[in-house]
Amino acid sequence: MDAADWDERYRGSGLLWTARPNRFVEQELAGLEPAGRAVDLAAGEGRNAVWLAERGWEVDAVDFSAVALAKAERVSAERGVGLRTVRADLTAWQPPEAAYGLALIAYLHLPWPQLQEVLRRAAPAVRPGGTLLLVGHDATNPEHGHGGPRDPHVLYTAEQVAALWRPHARILRAEAVTRPVAEGDGSCTAVDALVRAVRS
């Protein structure tokens, strides 16, 4: 899907996703002391970016959907926090080097060669001692989980991501994790990849 497709998907008065942060983002980062600037890559409607801003981070929310970023700005204003939105295609966007104390990538799914480049650029954007966090649909999810993309070319494992970051960072956690997904009258389980690292 390109930016126009996502604009159309996000169009409408309500939020496409919940306003709450992703459960793994909250679990992993709630205890992290805010340290200046953070960047949320593929921020969408800003649910994670706004939560980070509420915790005291100065957040750059980067996405290629103008509609999603407008919603992120609206939500941040309603909740009384500042947010810097950046409309950019992550496959071409070059973040400033060592500018951030935190880089977050949540549910960004691109063909693996393109995602590798995004991940490679994300690591040096974080200063030494800063945090890198990725969560996304795991490559095993189509077979063992529920929801998310079914195309294997846009899925990955935690170890694939960790291998890219290992030359730049100390890997604290790289594993498949599960989360409940409400579906009709019941609940299903999704399988996600989670990687947390500290920049060397």
Side-chain angles (χ1 to χ4, degrees):
M1 293 176 70
D2 61 17
D5 294 326
W6 278 105
D7 279 346
E8 191 57 38
R9 191 172 183 191
Y10 283 123
R11 211 172 303 281
S13 57
L15 294 175
L16 183 61
W17 317 116
T18 175
R20 287 189 51 80
N22 170 263
R23 66 170 54 232
F24 298 118
V25 171
E26 190 170 18
Q27 288 172 12
E28 292 295 317
L29 301 180
L32 186 65
E33 191 69 26
R37 294 175 68 191
V39 62
D40 183 357
L41 301 173
E45 297 166 308
R47 63 178 183 145
N48 297 314
V50 170
W51 179 78
L52 289 170
E54 288 176 327
R55 297 194 56 76
W57 291 92
E58 299 169 26
V59 185
D60 291 351
V62 186
D63 202 282
F64 67 179
S65 169
V67 175
L69 291 176
K71 287 186 174 182
E73 290 172 350
R74 188 189 75 210
V75 172
S76 66
E78 288 171 353
R79 289 171 42 181
V81 293
L83 200 64
R84 178 175 176 258
T85 56
V86 180
R87 187 183 180 195
D89 182 342
L90 288 174
T91 63
W93 187 64
Q94 183 66 52
E97 191 164 337
Y100 299 104
L102 167 67
L104 169 63
I105 303 170
Y107 300 95
L108 173 61
H109 290 277
L110 298 166
W112 180 244
Q114 294 180 24
L115 185 61
Q116 285 185 86
E117 291 307 309
V118 175
L119 295 172
R120 286 194 180 106
R121 288 195 293 266
V126 176
R127 61 177 175 269
T131 296
L132 290 151
L133 180 66
L134 173 139
V135 60
H137 302 288
D138 190 82
T140 64
N141 190 60
E143 185 177 355
H144 300 290
H146 180 79
R150 315 312 284 177
D151 180 357
H153 297 100
V154 300
L155 298 172
Y156 43 79
T157 66
E159 184 49 42
Q160 283 179 282
V161 176
L164 284 175
W165 281 350
R166 206 166 267 123
H168 311 281
R170 179 166 53 92
I171 306 300
L172 301 182
R173 189 177 182 192
E175 60 190 279
V177 292
T178 59
R179 60 183 164 85
V181 179
E183 182 69 22
D185 295 333
S187 180
C188 302
T189 299
V191 184
D192 287 341
L194 189 152
V195 182
R196 181 173 177 176
V198 173
R199 182 77 164 90
S200 303

